[in-house]
Amino acid sequence: MRKYWEVSKIYMKTQLVWRADVIFNMFFTIGRILFAYLLWGIIFRSREKIGVFTFHGMLSYYIVSSFLVQLEMSDGISWEIHERIRNGTFSKYMVIPVGIQRYFMAMELGVVLFYILFDLIAAVIWVFVFHIEFVFAGNAFVTLCAVGIAVLGMLFMVQLNFFLGLLTLKYQGIGTFLMIKNNLAALVTGSIVPLALFPEAVVNIMKILPFYYVTYLPAMLFTGMCQNEAVPGLCIAAAWCLMMQGLIQVTWNKYMRKYDGVGI
């Protein structure tokens, strides 16, 4: 475990080189919350409640979901693997004394740990700037479940992006797969519109998909809603991670033997 922690620390330090990225990442978090404040402020002028949300409940949801969205930064894993396989330099990961998937997981952990403080600061600033009456779950068990689901959700996204990168071993390009994944994630994670505003039948279908547990459900639990889904959500998120890990192993065993890249 120590060597993977060293990988995480290296990537934490690497982020210091790209200071502009830190600033832009904070602006993106602020931008999402500002957009929600302006949009829902207009909508809530004529009513006190929409669905299960009050105005401050809606803003609380967007603050938490924006925070979680900005922490999920594993998209680069797919492209990194894709480019390495295409130009023959993926071999470098095969000769270093670490597990390849665990290396990328440690890399993602380092990036997340670096950005978590800045994203948290950006979210807290808006709570005070707009005098938001932040809605938070008062149940410690539900909060712990929300943390667990959020962690499993980010783990799943790392696994998914790692798997999509490995598809380069079979397909010339993975752009189509990434486009489908990004469109599904944008809708089902609830980062654009809370899924609670969708028809119940649609939400029940979305519960089958793993993206439901990446941002939406943790954000709802953190703000004191959907508490009856805490334990089932934790189990389903864990099940998706196990299934994705099995799919990764099958794909690796099937296609890696055909890899003939050169260069380190």
Side-chain angles (χ1 to χ4, degrees):
M1 292 299 294
R2 183 176 178 181
K3 59 186 175 182
Y4 295 108
W5 176 238
E6 292 299 321
V7 172
S8 296
K9 288 197 295 184
I10 290 171
Y11 276 91
M12 287 176 65
K13 295 175 182 177
T14 301
Q15 306 312 307
L16 293 171
V17 179
W18 312 106
R19 290 184 291 273
D21 287 359
V22 178
I23 297 172
F24 283 122
N25 193 72
M26 291 183 69
F27 278 134
F28 288 145
T29 302
I30 293 171
R32 286 174 181 272
I33 299 170
L34 179 60
F35 172 78
Y37 182 85
L38 296 175
L39 174 64
W40 294 105
I42 295 172
I43 296 174
F44 273 97
R45 281 179 183 174
S46 58
R47 60 188 73 184
E48 294 184 0
K49 198 171 185 179
I50 297 177
V52 298
F53 295 99
T54 62
F55 177 61
H56 290 284
M58 181 68 77
L59 292 182
S60 299
Y61 168 83
Y62 269 95
I63 287 171
V64 176
S65 64
S66 297
F67 173 75
L68 294 175
V69 166
Q70 291 305 118
L71 282 186
E72 205 297 290
M73 305 177 71
S74 62
D75 276 354
I77 293 176
S78 299
W79 288 113
E80 171 76 8
I81 296 174
H82 172 71
E83 292 299 323
R84 293 288 183 179
I85 292 176
R86 292 284 292 158
N87 63 29
T89 57
F90 189 73
S91 306
K92 88 166 198 174
Y93 296 115
M94 303 174 68
V95 296
I96 57 179
V98 294
I100 297 176
Q101 184 183 356
R102 290 189 291 274
Y103 175 90
F104 281 103
M105 292 172 65
M107 178 187 76
E108 177 69 8
L109 176 62
V111 175
V112 169
L113 290 177
F114 179 84
Y115 278 100
I116 192 170
L117 176 62
F118 298 99
D119 290 337
L120 184 60
I121 291 173
V124 170
I125 286 174
W126 282 103
V127 172
F128 289 100
V129 168
F130 290 107
H131 306 288
I132 298 171
E133 298 173 11
F134 192 79
V135 179
F136 195 77
N139 189 313
F141 177 73
V142 172
T143 301
L144 287 174
C145 287
V147 172
I149 294 171
V151 171
L152 288 172
M154 285 190 282
L155 173 61
F156 174 82
M157 292 304 294
V158 173
Q159 291 175 312
L160 177 60
N161 282 301
F162 183 79
F163 167 73
L164 292 175
L166 289 182
L167 291 182
T168 309
L169 294 168
K170 179 174 176 60
Y171 302 100
Q172 185 174 11
I174 58 172
T176 301
F177 299 112
L178 295 178
M179 181 183 66
I180 294 172
K181 183 263 297 184
N182 290 335
N183 288 333
L184 273 175
L187 175 65
V188 187
T189 56
S191 58
I192 300 176
V193 178
L195 302 184
L197 303 181
F198 284 55
E200 185 178 354
V202 175
V203 176
N204 288 334
I205 294 173
M206 290 182 176
K207 287 181 181 179
I208 301 173
L209 302 175
F211 304 109
Y212 180 89
Y213 306 93
V214 174
T215 301
Y216 173 72
L217 184 57
M220 292 292 280
L221 292 174
F222 276 124
T223 52
M225 292 176 277
C226 297
Q227 295 192 17
N228 61 315
E229 296 185 35
V231 175
L234 197 61
C235 295
I236 294 172
W240 270 109
C241 288
L242 290 174
M243 286 189 288
M244 180 53 65
Q245 188 59 42
L247 186 58
I248 288 172
Q249 200 60 49
V250 170
T251 303
W252 178 272
N253 293 337
K254 183 175 182 180
Y255 296 118
M256 203 59 208
R257 69 186 70 174
K258 301 178 181 180
Y259 176 67
D260 58 358
V262 294
I264 297 176

